[in-house]
Amino acid sequence: MPETNETPASSIPPGLYVVGIGPGGLDYMCGRAVEVLKSVEVVAGYTTYIDLIRPLISGKEVVRTGMMKEVDRVAAAIDAALAGKTCALVSSGDPGIYAMAGLVFDMCRERDIALSEPGGAGLFVEVVPGIPALAAGAALLGAPLTHDFAAVSLSDLLTPWETIEKRIEAAAAADFVLAIYNPRSKKRDWQLGRAVEILLAHRSPETPVGVVTAAMRAEQSVAITTLGAFDPASADMQTTVFIGNSHTFRYGDRMVTPRGYARKYDMVRS
Amino acid sequence: MPETNETPASSIPPGLYVVGIGPGGLDYMCGRAVEVLKSVEVVAGYTTYIDLIRPLISGKEVVRTGMMKEVDRVAAAIDAALAGKTCALVSSGDPGIYAMAGLVFDMCRERDIALSEPGGAGLFVEVVPGIPALAAGAALLGAPLTHDFAAVSLSDLLTPWETIEKRIEAAAAADFVLAIYNPRSKKRDWQLGRAVEILLAHRSPETPVGVVTAAMRAEQSVAITTLGAFDPASADMQTTVFIGNSHTFRYGDRMVTPRGYARKYDMVRS
């Protein structure tokens, strides 16, 4: 992957590019994201993500803000694009899954900013997808998501806890695999334990649970345990927790949810 | 992106690489997938996917099979890797979401093939994640998945329809956004209409619905409609259908599910 910025800024039209950088290192970013990051004039993002893409954006104007300044950061990115610049707003994982894409369009609506095609009278916005944390974590675990699954965030900062609990209950009862985002932070220390309680009312304590922290980064950790043995304190804000469905099994050091091919094709199961 | 295979095959250890090529063109494949495809000796995959990655794999041994030969294809890939070769098994999107990763591990268990680290006595398997169809489609639509969502496949070939219907009902009642895979084929022509009926019992007919077919490919199509106006016949096997939750809105030509930041930060909503 190139380490320098040699693509002229004019290779993409002015506008706001909402870019998913994938789970971690540059190896898991798609070609379109690399092209956009090399081409833009301005990059906005949380400090940790800016550091991950540093080799691609040397010499560019950078709008760095801390985790709690999301609205300010998106506003600055929109303003840069409205001023005729090419601006990338970066998110880890996919920008549309618990990340910045929703806020961009929500804010455009609030400010009555018309959206347009490239070169049009309004704001051109392109969302560049990335590998989401749920796909990166699943790859490291084996194949926990190879059947129907639900993604649920345990952050009750912006969503009432009753809504979150209702969703966990519904997903547990309907035998969805669960991918749990934002499972635990210093201030939110009881929600994950409560989620496990709800799940144990519907699933065996032997249900496999995968715990992936900082996938594809230097500090990556991957563990498989069971619903009965899972310790919520093993998760933090960088963790995605995968709860198996009633068919999920462990094979060696992998966690696998079958689609059922083996049964269909009459292979013998031990 | 390089068009030729110049990386020596020895740059990765022998084993089976289950590779997600993303939604379509090479621009949406991650760097690790490109590296692996350029390095392996054997490539196995469905004909359509092999054609999409043709520039990366010229001169390699290719195991091509039609859509219904999935078990044969996976068996051939496992056998090649067991014989000491480097073999890539390719899936579109992410290999762990309704794709090949689950079948690989399921078949290893059936055949009692031990898994190992690179260079170990058993089979080394690496899953290389890709941008899933749900993330690619969401990027084209705007931001429909920026809050809790459920992925459900309507294919009842390997899953009883009662299970699928129960999941749709649960996701609808708990206000999950839905990403519907395998919504319709020539032989399965009523399931999507039934899913819409179930959803209409819980959601307004004005609920936004996004319909994305062949994302990031030449024949791509993207449309936004409503749950009341949606015509199931507009979907086929290459389509992902996105059903909004009770907060999802349409702004211009985009479909957006807010996380709630605007409310939290006291911005005025019209």
Side-chain angles (χ1 to χ4, degrees):
Chain A
M1 198 163 284
E3 297 282 312
T4 55
N5 171 26
E6 290 167 356
T7 309
S10 60
S11 65
I12 59 173
L16 179 57
Y17 297 80
V18 189
V19 178
I21 64 171
L26 303 181
D27 280 355
Y28 291 91
M29 197 180 307
C30 76
R32 178 62 181 163
V34 172
E35 179 189 27
V36 165
L37 289 175
K38 286 168 60 187
S39 303
V40 291
E41 295 159 294
V42 182
V43 180
Y46 176 52
T47 300
T48 304
Y49 310 150
I50 294 291
D51 289 342
L52 286 166
I53 58 169
R54 174 71 51 205
L56 296 175
I57 60 169
S58 61
K60 293 183 192 294
E61 181 183 340
V62 173
V63 179
R64 301 164 72 106
T65 55
M67 187 58 98
M68 295 307 293
K69 303 283 190 181
E70 286 168 324
V71 168
D72 295 345
R73 194 193 314 151
V74 173
I78 289 174
D79 289 340
L82 285 175
K85 292 185 176 175
T86 49
C87 179
L89 176 67
V90 299
S91 290
S92 73
D94 177 73
I97 298 181
Y98 302 115
M100 294 292 101
L103 183 53
V104 166
F105 294 111
D106 211 1
M107 201 177 284
C108 285
R109 186 172 73 155
E110 296 293 334
R111 292 173 57 180
D112 206 19
I113 297 166
L115 305 175
S116 76
E117 293 302 300
L123 179 66
F124 169 60
V125 180
E126 177 180 332
V127 179
V128 181
I131 294 173
L134 61 84
L140 294 171
L141 288 166
L145 300 181
T146 306
H147 212 304
D148 302 331
F149 67 92
V152 179
S153 166
L154 299 194
S155 173
D156 53 1
L157 193 64
L158 304 167
T159 304
W161 177 253
E162 304 76 59
T163 301
I164 298 169
E165 194 162 308
K166 183 179 174 186
R167 287 180 180 158
I168 296 167
E169 174 76 35
D175 207 26
F176 280 100
V177 177
L178 267 95
I180 297 178
Y181 277 70
N182 304 315
R184 194 170 196 273
S185 70
K186 283 182 186 170
K187 289 185 184 170
R188 293 187 301 95
D189 61 357
W190 58 266
Q191 287 85 347
L192 183 54
R194 176 70 189 128
V196 170
E197 274 179 20
I198 296 168
L199 284 154
L200 278 170
H202 296 274
R203 295 191 193 169
S204 160
E206 298 306 311
T207 303
V209 171
V211 186
V212 180
T213 302
M216 282 76 176
R217 299 185 194 176
E219 65 274 29
Q220 167 184 305
S221 79
V222 181
I224 301 178
T225 179
T226 64
L227 197 54
F230 175 51
D231 175 11
S234 64
D236 65 28
M237 282 301 282
Q238 284 201 79
T239 305
T240 310
V241 180
F242 297 79
I243 315 285
N245 71 14
S246 62
H247 295 278
T248 303
F249 61 87
R250 183 171 176 165
Y251 182 63
D253 62 351
R254 307 297 173 108
M255 173 176 171
V256 183
T257 303
R259 281 183 72 186
Y261 286 93
R263 280 187 296 280
K264 177 175 171 61
Y265 290 93
D266 294 319
M267 293 171 66
V268 180
R269 169 156 289 149
S270 56
Chain B
M1 198 163 282
E3 297 281 310
T4 56
N5 171 28
E6 291 168 356
T7 308
S10 60
S11 66
I12 58 173
L16 178 57
Y17 297 81
V18 189
V19 178
I21 65 171
L26 302 182
D27 280 356
Y28 292 90
M29 197 181 306
C30 76
R32 178 63 180 163
V34 172
E35 179 188 26
V36 165
L37 290 175
K38 287 167 60 186
S39 303
V40 291
E41 294 160 294
V42 183
V43 180
Y46 176 52
T47 300
T48 304
Y49 309 150
I50 294 291
D51 290 341
L52 285 167
I53 58 169
R54 173 72 50 206
L56 297 176
I57 60 169
S58 61
K60 294 183 191 294
E61 181 182 341
V62 174
V63 179
R64 302 165 71 106
T65 56
M67 187 58 98
M68 296 308 293
K69 303 283 189 181
E70 286 168 324
V71 168
D72 295 345
R73 193 191 316 151
V74 173
I78 289 174
D79 289 340
L82 285 174
K85 291 185 176 174
T86 49
C87 179
L89 175 67
V90 300
S91 290
S92 72
D94 177 74
I97 298 181
Y98 303 116
M100 294 292 102
L103 183 54
V104 166
F105 294 112
D106 211 2
M107 201 178 284
C108 286
R109 187 172 73 156
E110 297 293 333
R111 292 173 57 180
D112 207 18
I113 297 166
L115 305 175
S116 76
E117 292 302 300
L123 178 66
F124 169 60
V125 180
E126 177 180 332
V127 180
V128 181
I131 293 172
L134 62 84
L140 294 170
L141 287 166
L145 300 181
T146 307
H147 211 306
D148 302 332
F149 67 92
V152 179
S153 166
L154 298 194
S155 172
D156 53 1
L157 193 64
L158 304 168
T159 304
W161 177 253
E162 305 75 58
T163 301
I164 298 169
E165 194 162 308
K166 184 180 174 185
R167 287 179 180 159
I168 296 167
E169 174 77 36
D175 205 28
F176 278 101
V177 177
L178 268 95
I180 297 179
Y181 276 71
N182 304 315
R184 194 169 196 273
S185 70
K186 283 181 185 170
K187 289 185 183 169
R188 293 187 301 94
D189 61 358
W190 58 266
Q191 287 84 348
L192 183 55
R194 175 69 189 127
V196 170
E197 274 179 20
I198 296 168
L199 284 154
L200 278 170
H202 295 274
R203 295 192 193 169
S204 160
E206 298 306 310
T207 304
V209 171
V211 186
V212 181
T213 300
M216 281 76 176
R217 299 186 194 175
E219 65 274 29
Q220 167 183 304
S221 79
V222 181
I224 301 178
T225 179
T226 64
L227 196 54
F230 175 52
D231 175 12
S234 64
D236 65 27
M237 281 303 281
Q238 284 200 79
T239 305
T240 310
V241 180
F242 298 79
I243 315 285
N245 70 14
S246 62
H247 294 278
T248 304
F249 61 86
R250 183 171 176 166
Y251 183 64
D253 61 352
R254 308 296 173 107
M255 174 177 171
V256 183
T257 303
R259 282 182 73 187
Y261 287 92
R263 279 187 296 281
K264 176 175 171 60
Y265 290 92
D266 294 319
M267 294 171 66
V268 180
R269 169 156 287 149
S270 56

